[in-house]
Amino acid sequence: MSGKAISFATREYSKEEVLRVLDPLVAEWFSGKFEDLTPPQRYALIPIHEGKNVLVSSPTGTGKTLTAFLIALSELFGMARRGELEDTVYVVYVSPLRALNNDIYRNLEEPLREIRELAEKRGLEIPEIRHMVRTGDTSSSQRQSMLRKPPHILITTPETLAIILVAPKFREKLRSVKWVIVDEIHSLAENKRGVHLALSLERLRELVGRDFVRIGLSATINPLEEVAQFLVGYNDDGSPRECVIVDARYAKRKTLRVVSPVPDLVHTPAQEVTAKLYETLYEIVRKHRTTLIFTNTRSGTERVVFHLKQLARKRGDIPEDAIAAHHSSLSRNVRLDVEEKLKRGELRAIVSSTSLELGIDIGYIDVVVLVGSPKSVTRALQRIGRSGHRLHETSKGVFVCVDRDDLVEVAVMTREAYRHHLDRVHIPRNALDVLAQHLVGMAIERKMSAEEAYRIVRRSYPYRDLPWEDFENVLKFLSGGYGELEEYKVYGKIWYDPEEKVFGRRGKYARVIYTLNVGTIPDEVSVKVLTLDRKYVGNIEEEFLERLMPGDRFVLGGKVYEFVKSDGLTAYVKPAYEQKPTIPAWFSEMLPLSYDLAVRIGEFRGQAFEWISKPGGLERLKEYLKRECKVNEEGAEAVAGYFLEEYLFLRSLGVEKFPSDRVVLVERYRDADGRVHHVFHTLFGRRTNDALSHALAYLASKRAGANIGIAVHDNGFALIYPPGVEPQVSLMDVAPSELEDILKKAVFNTELMRRRFRHVATRGLMILRNYKGHEISVEKQQLSAGTLLRVIRKWEDFPILKETFREILEDYMDIAHAREVLEKVHSGEIEVVDIGLLDTPTPFAYNIILEGLSDVVLMEDKRALIAKFHEELMRKIARAKAQAQAAR
């Protein structure tokens, strides 16, 4: 990336300098309304006025939105006064949330009205500047009136923008666009919605015929240079477009605390830990006006609300109805009601899974509490940034942890947050399903040369390196080039002439098909669970089904079932009441730990063990945790005790190397059922461990001729061998260059592959969600996907198959970092220390083994098992000490 194209704003401008470039009316309104500029405004307004692309990254409540709109408002009012304002769109504002769009609409009403009133006072007659929201919720009568009187400021979503680009009449209104504002860009960049938007913006650029000013708004994100390039893309000659980055991420002060409700997280009975957790939360709520509590799962949200309400009822000092839940499974009306109450200041506590992370205006929050780890520094800061909404206020965050691994993770995360070390964003590359959708869109617009379309596509950041062969294969697929697919009702949506290299739309339904099937978010559905004799058991989420392998056992409705197979959206199980479940029920909702943070935790492990091995080291570790990581006394005790146990146990075994970012410890543990858990302490985050574990389990299954189970954790993974089968693989068995090939074979016959193939085939318009106005059930889509997957497996270059593998290996797993880990193992930069078979696991292995042992719905079981491991461990350490003393 050339240094010239992307630059950081270094010059601050004064309020006077900004007022000088604004339209006199807007300047008068602004100076009467605001005492001074906020940090993003000081740096960003003049570059936007000069027509430069700008990416603004700053916390909630720092005036980002006004920064984005002010210059455009100024120019629109100037045009209105000069009588130059036409019935056409000048500003396109895109955000990922409909709720945020409605917020922006309301927030713009005030300046537009007040500036007009000011004009009238000055005796000026000026036409109205219109702003409207257009999303999937917009009625056809509203759409019609928008054609007659288009908004000057159009507020929309990525999906709707793609649809209006092919709307024959309305697209003409977009030729005048001068500014495009992309809000909450951090939540778009890391998934296919962002990829989709990047292509839409290049198509819009083609329609307009010149560059427009792009303004990106983001909360905390990293690296800013990459996100800026994602926002602006490239010129036709391949050179990066320019962008000025306004980095005001640290404009607000923050205070963070890490709290463990009890000093001993092993021996304290489960009920007591749980009671102390809710009391801790309740005390925080009691001491503040409004508290926002994040749990990582929807079920966690419901539990916290239930217990807080119980305490409120018992103590009587907080009204019960001042505590509410907010998550994506609740109906829209319930969510809106909660948001309104929050804005009116009627709520004392609001508990959310992830739904309140983005910038919808929710009024004033004093403190944000995070139950458990948010898994990345960036996400932690985004969540905590919701508190102290005004610029001069401090964002206040409290992490509450009841698990030792969580405690270590959050301690390091807090230290990194103060050091401004953020996790890097992962932007999907060369997604062929999204490309297919856009090529159909381009074909609807006009007959087009393939080379021209290729040039437009490659201007966008996610397709910068797209090979021509892949591009042409997508055209071949879309134009029915794989003939035998017609038997399965997959017909060409476009025509393509490979000789002349031109393509266009085929059939009169192309536009309807495109409009009804546009978008990247798969239909989320629940899966029916039946016994083999077809008795209904209950429902599970599709994401949960993705994880299941035949033989896996899980809890549903309080009973244990073994997964046998799935057919479409039905999972077949057999009762396994007497046996332990192998898959925790909340698995699908877990956020993965980021690779960057995982490596830092590995470094911290190394440092902690080094201190503990020296006199006075334990006190030094506790002091460090309290000073640098803001951990409370109880938390520091719990972490120090955890490391000391691991250290003493490994020493009692004669092991001199301890797990860190440079040492991967490997151990084996035989459980009560005779199964061996082959544990790899690879602290690299769940996505990386997903890739490593699937590759090793595939090799192990081949060698053992048996099904090998997998338990994946952020801190490592375990391969679970059936009784009588001994482990026979190591990390050295997978060459970095062979990883991709092994993983493709490993995932091909899994539920994960079948589900993801349906998602990709739907995005790539191979399977339609809606045909001629008829919704096609997900059940039918899945059956089609199953059939098609069997048909196309022989064509390796088939775009939909290729994209399914890419999505699983790069976006769902993290093959790039898994390869990096293997390279370091092979070169000796990471040392693998195998400590053999143990009859009790090391403390760092507890959570990894529990992941594959018992269902954590039963918190008591988990604690009892950890306590049992712990007793055995302490006996062993004592015995080793006694032997050492006797030997002296």
Side-chain angles (χ1 to χ4, degrees):
M1 192 177 299
S2 89
K4 281 203 315 285
I6 303 289
S7 60
F8 282 83
T10 49
R11 173 149 181 218
E12 278 192 72
Y13 292 87
S14 67
K15 187 177 176 187
E16 287 61 47
E17 289 173 291
V18 168
L19 291 175
R20 275 205 296 275
V21 306
L22 294 178
D23 176 83
L25 271 180
V26 177
E28 188 181 342
W29 168 81
F30 186 84
S31 63
K33 189 103 176 162
F34 303 99
E35 273 172 45
D36 201 3
L37 303 174
T38 64
Q41 289 163 358
R42 271 188 225 122
Y43 286 102
L45 287 170
I46 298 291
I48 294 172
H49 168 71
E50 290 167 349
K52 292 179 175 149
N53 297 320
V54 174
L55 172 66
V56 180
S57 182
S58 74
T60 307
T62 50
K64 283 199 293 276
T65 313
L66 189 58
T67 308
F69 278 107
L70 191 63
I71 299 297
L73 287 177
S74 169
E75 296 208 17
L76 289 175
F77 273 102
M79 290 160 78
R81 284 202 316 174
R82 296 190 298 274
E84 296 167 4
L85 200 62
E86 294 180 13
D87 281 343
T88 181
V89 179
Y90 294 100
V91 184
V92 175
Y93 165 93
V94 185
S95 102
L97 289 180
R98 290 176 189 182
L100 190 53
N101 285 337
N102 297 328
D103 250 8
I104 293 293
Y105 179 80
R106 284 193 296 272
N107 292 347
L108 278 174
E109 275 183 322
E110 192 180 298
L112 290 171
R113 189 189 66 247
E114 289 174 351
I115 298 168
R116 281 201 68 177
E117 284 167 1
L118 200 61
E120 281 164 18
K121 271 190 201 154
R122 302 280 170 273
L124 293 167
E125 252 318 299
I126 58 171
E128 182 193 5
I129 290 169
R130 295 185 295 272
H131 69 305
M132 293 174 196
V133 176
R134 180 158 176 171
T135 65
D137 295 339
T138 309
S139 68
S140 57
S141 61
Q142 287 170 309
R143 292 204 296 268
Q144 284 304 314
S145 74
M146 269 189 207
L147 254 181
R148 291 191 297 276
K149 286 272 184 199
H152 302 112
I153 300 171
L154 175 69
I155 300 167
T156 189
T157 59
E159 291 74 16
T160 303
L161 178 60
I163 290 172
I164 57 179
L165 279 170
V166 300
K169 293 180 183 146
F170 196 81
R171 62 181 260 121
E172 294 306 312
K173 309 289 181 192
L174 297 174
R175 290 188 188 273
S176 48
V177 168
K178 283 185 153 187
W179 298 274
V180 171
I181 300 166
V182 181
D183 204 348
E184 303 286 346
I185 195 168
H186 56 278
S187 80
L188 289 168
E190 53 194 358
N191 56 53
K192 287 188 175 178
R193 286 186 84 191
V195 175
H196 199 278
L197 177 62
L199 283 181
S200 287
L201 291 180
E202 290 313 323
R203 285 169 59 198
L204 178 62
R205 160 73 185 73
E206 204 60 18
L207 176 67
V208 172
R210 56 174 162 72
D211 284 331
F212 38 75
V213 175
R214 301 180 191 218
I215 303 162
L217 304 179
S218 170
T220 319
I221 194 166
N222 182 50
L224 288 174
E225 296 88 336
E226 189 180 0
V227 178
Q229 205 64 72
F230 167 77
L231 169 71
V232 300
Y234 297 81
N235 294 308
D236 280 332
D237 64 1
S239 61
R241 291 196 187 114
E242 292 182 6
C243 187
V244 176
I245 296 172
V246 174
D247 182 3
R249 288 177 295 189
Y250 312 112
K252 269 164 77 176
R253 287 194 305 279
K254 59 181 171 290
T255 65
L256 310 176
R257 286 191 304 132
V258 183
V259 173
S260 166
V262 296
D264 183 348
L265 286 167
V266 176
H267 290 106
T268 314
Q271 292 92 327
E272 196 182 318
V273 174
T274 308
K276 277 270 197 287
L277 163 69
Y278 295 122
E279 279 164 28
T280 305
L281 294 177
Y282 191 84
E283 275 310 300
I284 296 171
V285 173
R286 208 175 56 75
K287 287 180 184 150
H288 293 86
R289 203 170 67 201
T290 316
T291 304
L292 171 57
I293 300 172
F294 280 105
T295 65
N296 287 339
T297 63
R298 294 187 283 275
S299 50
T301 296
E302 295 295 349
R303 267 202 309 277
V304 170
V305 169
F306 173 75
H307 286 282
L308 287 181
K309 282 184 184 254
Q310 270 193 326
L311 283 169
R313 200 175 311 142
K314 200 162 89 187
R315 300 197 182 170
D317 49 2
I318 296 175
E320 228 184 298
D321 55 7
I323 299 165
H326 188 291
H327 57 72
S328 52
S329 302
L330 295 170
S331 75
R332 184 162 172 254
N333 292 346
V334 172
R335 289 204 306 267
L336 287 176
D337 183 46
V338 169
E339 287 161 25
E340 286 308 317
K341 278 185 177 159
L342 193 56
K343 279 182 212 172
R344 293 197 298 266
E346 293 169 20
L347 294 180
R348 291 290 299 278
I350 179 162
V351 189
S352 169
S353 49
T354 54
S355 55
L356 288 176
E357 277 179 358
L358 296 184
I360 49 176
D361 180 14
I362 49 174
Y364 187 79
I365 305 280
D366 301 65
V367 61
V368 172
V369 181
L370 297 98
V371 179
S373 168
K375 300 290 175 188
S376 92
V377 183
T378 312
R379 187 181 284 108
L381 289 175
Q382 276 166 16
R383 289 178 173 185
I384 288 156
R386 305 304 322 245
S387 69
H389 207 87
R390 293 180 199 79
L391 180 59
H392 55 275
E393 288 161 0
T394 301
S395 290
K396 195 169 170 189
V398 184
F399 298 91
V400 185
C401 302
V402 291
D403 173 276
R404 298 189 297 181
D405 282 332
D406 255 6
L407 208 50
V408 173
E409 201 170 286
V410 166
V412 176
M413 186 184 297
T414 301
R415 182 195 74 186
E416 295 303 298
Y418 276 112
R419 290 180 177 178
H420 299 333
H421 286 165
L422 301 174
D423 319 279
R424 287 166 299 177
V425 66
H426 163 76
I427 300 175
R429 300 294 178 90
N430 298 336
L432 301 181
D433 49 355
V434 178
L435 175 63
Q437 213 173 99
H438 277 275
L439 287 174
V440 172
M442 288 166 148
I444 292 165
E445 286 171 30
R446 59 187 168 92
K447 179 174 146 185
M448 204 171 198
S449 110
E451 267 115 350
E452 184 189 354
Y454 183 56
R455 174 179 56 76
I456 295 169
V457 165
R458 287 198 31 178
R459 288 199 307 233
S460 73
Y461 181 78
Y463 294 95
R464 183 76 214 101
D465 314 310
L466 178 72
W468 168 259
E469 299 74 64
D470 285 358
F471 178 82
E472 198 171 29
N473 271 336
V474 175
L475 284 175
K476 178 183 165 188
F477 145 66
L478 286 173
S479 59
Y482 295 84
E484 57 193 275
L485 287 177
E486 292 210 351
E487 287 171 43
Y488 303 94
K489 298 198 167 61
V490 177
Y491 302 107
K493 314 284 183 293
I494 65 171
W495 56 265
Y496 173 54
D497 180 340
E499 296 301 307
E500 287 192 27
K501 302 223 177 313
V502 284
F503 67 98
R505 77 174 192 194
R506 175 195 284 195
K508 55 180 188 292
Y509 286 116
R511 186 188 309 276
V512 179
I513 287 173
Y514 176 76
T515 307
L516 292 177
N517 291 279
V518 90
T520 60
I521 304 168
D523 291 332
E524 278 310 327
V525 285
S526 68
V527 174
K528 253 205 311 241
V529 180
L530 303 179
T531 55
L532 290 173
D533 51 4
R534 302 195 67 81
K535 280 204 185 75
Y536 174 70
V537 178
N539 286 44
I540 54 175
E541 289 174 347
E542 202 181 352
E543 292 158 276
F544 186 64
L545 181 62
E546 279 187 353
R547 288 276 179 178
L548 294 178
M549 303 273 201
D552 283 343
R553 297 191 294 275
F554 61 95
V555 171
L556 190 57
K559 293 186 174 143
V560 181
Y561 293 94
E562 183 178 312
F563 176 62
V564 180
K565 62 174 184 179
S566 81
D567 185 6
L569 289 177
T570 308
Y572 289 96
V573 296
K574 58 186 185 194
Y577 303 150
E578 300 308 307
Q579 291 168 291
K580 287 267 191 194
T582 55
I583 302 275
W586 38 253
F587 206 82
S588 61
E589 298 180 12
M590 290 298 285
L591 299 161
L593 178 67
S594 75
Y595 177 79
D596 297 349
L597 182 58
V599 170
R600 300 262 197 238
I601 297 165
E603 288 167 3
F604 171 78
R605 279 183 170 185
Q607 178 69 73
F609 285 123
E610 199 178 305
W611 283 339
I612 290 176
S613 66
K614 299 187 173 75
L618 207 59
E619 286 313 309
R620 188 174 172 188
L621 173 59
K622 280 189 244 180
E623 277 313 305
Y624 182 84
L625 286 163
K626 287 189 283 195
R627 188 182 68 247
E628 297 292 320
C629 308
K630 314 296 180 208
V631 179
N632 73 343
E633 188 71 49
E634 287 83 350
E637 282 295 333
V639 172
Y642 188 32
F643 275 84
L644 184 63
E645 280 167 28
E646 179 81 9
Y647 176 79
L648 292 174
F649 185 37
L650 289 175
R651 289 304 305 264
S652 76
L653 297 171
V655 177
E656 299 289 330
K657 296 279 170 100
F658 305 98
S660 71
D661 59 317
R662 295 302 176 89
V663 175
V664 169
L665 201 67
V666 180
E667 62 183 279
R668 300 185 190 107
Y669 162 69
R670 198 185 304 280
D671 68 25
D673 301 330
R675 300 183 304 171
V676 174
H677 298 250
H678 194 190
V679 181
F680 295 78
H681 292 267
T682 46
L683 204 174
F684 299 110
R686 167 170 275 134
R687 288 177 56 230
T688 302
N689 287 337
D690 240 334
L692 293 171
S693 61
H694 274 87
L696 277 183
Y698 177 77
L699 294 181
S701 299
K702 280 262 173 286
R703 286 176 190 178
N707 209 349
I708 306 298
I710 303 175
V712 184
H713 190 277
D714 286 313
N715 296 2
F717 62 90
L719 303 183
I720 305 162
Y721 288 80
V725 182
E726 293 303 313
Q728 41 197 314
V729 286
S730 78
L731 285 167
M732 289 301 279
D733 292 347
V734 181
S737 58
E738 292 167 5
L739 180 62
E740 184 175 341
D741 207 38
I742 294 172
L743 279 177
K744 282 181 176 174
K745 289 179 186 144
V747 301
F748 192 82
N749 281 319
T750 60
E751 285 303 323
L752 178 63
M753 182 75 185
R754 286 193 274 281
R755 306 279 135 206
R756 293 293 167 131
F757 178 75
R758 184 193 94 229
H759 295 172
V760 170
T762 311
R763 256 183 236 116
L765 305 180
M766 182 181 189
I767 294 172
L768 301 179
R769 290 194 300 231
N770 193 311
Y771 185 60
K772 299 186 185 174
H774 298 292
E775 290 284 332
I776 293 165
S777 74
V778 180
E779 180 95 47
K780 274 207 176 125
Q781 294 173 32
Q782 188 61 46
L783 287 169
S784 310
T787 311
L788 290 170
L789 188 53
R790 286 193 291 277
V791 175
I792 62 160
R793 59 187 302 172
K794 57 180 177 281
W795 300 317
E796 276 194 20
D797 65 344
F798 189 73
I800 300 297
L801 183 61
K802 191 169 179 172
E803 175 55 25
T804 307
F805 280 130
R806 191 210 62 77
E807 183 181 296
I808 292 172
L809 270 48
E810 291 178 21
D811 303 346
Y812 176 78
M813 296 179 182
D814 184 350
I815 188 173
H817 283 125
R819 207 180 273 123
E820 196 178 304
V821 169
L822 289 173
E823 276 160 7
K824 287 179 175 173
V825 165
H826 281 263
S827 70
E829 196 180 327
I830 290 177
E831 190 180 347
V832 178
V833 177
D834 196 327
I835 57 175
L837 186 66
L838 310 172
D839 47 10
T840 178
T842 67
F844 281 11
Y846 293 174
N847 276 336
I848 302 171
I849 286 171
L850 283 170
E851 198 85 49
L853 260 192
S854 73
D855 192 314
V856 190
V857 167
L858 307 171
M859 210 55 185
E860 292 72 22
D861 282 5
K862 179 179 178 182
R863 300 220 174 256
L865 204 58
I866 286 186
K868 183 178 138 255
F869 284 158
H870 191 263
E871 298 312 322
E872 290 170 10
L873 176 89
M874 289 327 235
R875 278 200 297 276
K876 288 209 159 66
I877 292 172
R879 216 172 16 238
K881 265 190 184 161
Q883 284 167 349
Q885 277 165 345
R888 279 188 202 135

